[in-house]
Amino acid sequence: MTKNPFEYTGANNIPEGDIMDYFIDDNNFSRTIQSTKNVFLIGERGSGKTITLLYSSFPIQYQISLRNQEPISYDKIGVHITCKESLFDKGEYLLLEDEYKRLIFNEHFLVGTLLHAIAETLGGILEIVEASKEYQEKLFSDIEYLWDIKLNHSTKHFFEAITQYADKEIKNSQKIINSVSSDVFYENAMSFATTIIPFLKICRQIPLLSSSHYMLMIDDAQDLNKYHMMILNSWIAYRDHSLFSFKIAMVQLPNPIRYTSTHGSIIEGHDYITVNLEQPYQNQEADFYKLSKKIIERRLQKVGIMQSADSFFPANKSFIEDIEKYKELARQQAIQKYGEENKKSVGDYVYKYHRAMYFRNRGKTANRPPYSGFDTIIDISTGIVRNMLEPCFWMFDSAMNENKGTITEISPTIQNNVILNRSEFLWKQLMQGLDCIVPDCSKEQGEYIYNLFEQLMSLFAQRLKSDISEPCAIVFAMSQTDLYPEQYKEVQELLEIARRAQYIYVRLGNAKDKGKREAYYVPNRMLFPNFGLDPHGQFARVSLKVSDIYNAAHNKTAFPFNASDDIIETNDQLTLF
């Protein structure tokens, strides 16, 4: 039986071979990560942060060199550290009343985890272990002298002794902080300056590592507590990048901490750079479309299916014919309005109106439009790789159930059924309440969020069927935020919960005031098929008053709508934070 090429899971659970096989290396990202700069990788869950870090980690790069029969480079040692299911989430520091001691203990746990990960990475490479044996006695004596400790010399090698030491120190500190006298000061607490830096410098005694730069990759950093982030920012502020740098992956937070434990600040461009892992995705020239096409086609090739993404996920023929018919109709209307010579105005008119004309002319009794084709799969993904792979997995699974032979394409019928089922599932989950899946979300807030999304879909349906300038605008920005500060605060809380559940995405765009940027909100486009709406959208957004958003959520009040709605147009490719 053919393996489903669209199987997806958390990147930490993907075998090394699959990471090497499936990861699409973006040279721009690779160059940035492999640099000696401090980098923040920002993107929602499923956008590829973890797999990007894992691909750049030394164990994977080592295996790639072996596979390609290339010389192994030890210039960059990528060390992957995940904040989920790690020592980072220890809460014992809350037993301490003194803020300074809280910082000390949090740095101790953080350093212990880093030390373990670095030693484990180096100790997992046979060539490094073999190269260290000649210098093992000096490595032990130097580190024991600097740390004023005694390591276990009976271990297999130096790096295993270091991992044991890190584990033991973390365990001992937990005992102390959990003791009756929980406010005791742990005098042997590890710090980055006295533990990690000396360790990395001593490792340079090994010839293979004499000029190595360590890329310390902190994954899921949004799960760090505020003390960890302050400490990490202090390390980022360290000016010398010859020995180490940090690559920090995290989702976009409403108010990210960018100050240090000494109340300084880190500044973008000076102390770090930001890489946006969520790319433009609106059309076939967009980066996300091209990336998705490569991902789909490589996965198909791995199971022996030599098809293009477009031919493997064909669109419904009648839909294509109807869209072309309305495209021509819109073109004729534009020519009558602007003249055939004004090609730009004609092109803009066709772009804005032809899909809206198709959806509004289906009639009230018509079934929902067919959702199929690779373009549609890109649309409903809302620019998230995992959102793109998930429906493909269920489509392929359904095709395998129907076809026992070789699969050469996913029929439009199967695509449509899966998309409608997944859309219905999202709405059922929303109806049951996000309080069931998002921590700190109350049942009442879950109900408000459901009301808000219902009214948003109603608004977009009205717009799609109305003769207005931008009928396909399906994103919104908030206005009058200063007039209603309390309502704005509550609306922000609701939208943040929806973002954490991936029902909405937050992006930046140009504001009406020239030179300014503002946040705007994009509902997960998989929600649209359940309402028979067009998930394609266009480069425009609706301006909604905070008071109207509040009333939609709290009172199920419909959004005021008329043809003069405030529309913010942009010719720029929309990008994520």
Side-chain angles (χ1 to χ4, degrees), residues 404-467:
K404 304 304 179 183
T406 303
I407 298 174
T408 58
E409 68 173 33
I410 305 296
S411 71
T413 299
I414 288 177
Q415 294 179 57
N416 183 62
N417 290 340
V418 167
I419 289 173
L420 291 178
N421 286 338
R422 300 310 296 170
S423 184
E424 183 180 359
F425 169 79
L426 282 183
W427 279 102
K428 282 184 177 178
Q429 187 173 255
L430 194 59
M431 184 182 295
Q432 290 168 357
L434 294 187
D435 54 296
C436 300
I437 60 176
V438 178
D440 303 321
C441 172
S442 68
K443 185 172 181 60
E444 190 177 50
Q445 286 175 316
E447 292 174 356
Y448 291 157
I449 293 169
Y450 178 79
N451 295 341
L452 174 58
F453 276 93
E454 262 201 330
Q455 296 306 322
L456 280 173
M457 294 303 116
S458 296
L459 173 65
F460 293 147
Q462 278 185 290
R463 297 188 58 81
L464 190 62
K465 297 176 181 180
S466 301
D467 291 324

Side-chain angles (χ1 to χ4, degrees), residues 111-129:
V111 167
T113 306
L114 287 176
L115 181 63
H116 185 284
I118 296 168
E120 189 174 53
T121 297
L122 297 175
I125 306 300
L126 180 61
E127 287 84 348
I128 294 178
V129 171

Side-chain angles (χ1 to χ4, degrees), residues 191-211:
S191 72
F192 192 83
T194 61
T195 303
I196 300 295
I197 293 178
F199 174 63
L200 297 181
K201 287 182 176 178
I202 284 174
C203 285
R204 285 190 163 183
Q205 295 177 19
I206 304 169
L208 284 181
L209 306 178
S210 61
S211 60

Side-chain angles (χ1 to χ4, degrees), residues 5-10 14 299 386 389-391 393-394 422:
F6 305 112
E7 286 185 8
Y8 61 96
T9 183
I14 300 176
R299 285 175 173 257
R386 191 179 299 167
L389 289 175
E390 183 184 39
F393 172 85
W394 293 111
R422 300 310 296 170

Side-chain angles (χ1 to χ4, degrees), residues 241 245 272 409:
H241 296 168
S245 61
Y272 67 92
E409 68 173 33

Side-chain angles (χ1 to χ4, degrees), residues 156-187:
K156 295 178 183 178
H157 50 75
F158 171 70
F159 300 109
E160 185 178 36
I162 296 297
T163 59
Q164 285 187 2
Y165 166 73
D167 292 341
K168 184 179 178 181
E169 282 300 299
I170 291 171
K171 180 181 178 182
N172 287 342
S173 59
Q174 281 186 267
K175 282 184 178 180
I176 291 176
I177 201 171
N178 288 324
S179 67
V180 176
S181 179
S182 61
D183 204 32
V184 69
F185 184 82
Y186 187 62
E187 62 182 16

Side-chain angles (χ1 to χ4, degrees), residues 388-560:
M388 182 266 296
L389 289 175
E390 183 184 39
C392 293
F393 172 85
W394 293 111
M395 291 172 188
F396 197 92
D397 186 69
S398 181
M400 286 195 295
N401 291 335
E402 291 187 8
N403 187 349
K404 304 304 179 183
T406 303
I407 298 174
T408 58
E409 68 173 33
I410 305 296
S411 71
T413 299
I414 288 177
Q415 294 179 57
N416 183 62
N417 290 340
V418 167
I419 289 173
L420 291 178
N421 286 338
R422 300 310 296 170
S423 184
E424 183 180 359
F425 169 79
L426 282 183
W427 279 102
K428 282 184 177 178
Q429 187 173 255
L430 194 59
M431 184 182 295
Q432 290 168 357
L434 294 187
D435 54 296
C436 300
I437 60 176
V438 178
D440 303 321
C441 172
S442 68
K443 185 172 181 60
E444 190 177 50
Q445 286 175 316
E447 292 174 356
Y448 291 157
I449 293 169
Y450 178 79
N451 295 341
L452 174 58
F453 276 93
E454 262 201 330
Q455 296 306 322
L456 280 173
M457 294 303 116
S458 296
L459 173 65
F460 293 147
Q462 278 185 290
R463 297 188 58 81
L464 190 62
K465 297 176 181 180
S466 301
D467 291 324
I468 55 177
S469 63
E470 302 285 354
C472 295
I474 55 176
V475 303
F476 67 92
M478 284 192 281
S479 63
Q480 298 187 355
T481 56
D482 294 337
L483 295 179
Y484 306 95
E486 292 301 318
Q487 291 184 345
Y488 178 50
K489 180 180 178 181
E490 184 166 340
V491 166
Q492 278 190 309
E493 290 176 355
L494 296 179
L495 293 176
E496 174 59 16
I497 292 169
R499 186 201 66 77
R500 289 162 62 192
Q502 293 198 298
Y503 274 82
I504 205 161
Y505 299 96
V506 186
R507 301 176 181 165
L508 277 179
N510 295 325
K512 287 191 295 183
D513 295 336
K514 291 185 180 294
K516 292 187 177 181
R517 305 279 281 172
E518 70 176 353
Y520 64 96
Y521 302 87
V522 185
N524 186 327
R525 295 187 180 188
M526 183 60 90
L527 295 166
F528 286 68
N530 197 58
F531 277 70
L533 298 175
D534 184 8
H536 185 68
Q538 63 190 95
F539 298 134
R541 55 189 182 272
V542 186
S543 180
L544 299 179
K545 297 177 182 177
V546 166
S547 55
D548 291 336
I549 298 174
Y550 181 90
N551 288 329
H554 280 252
N555 307 315
K556 300 184 180 181
T557 305
F559 284 99

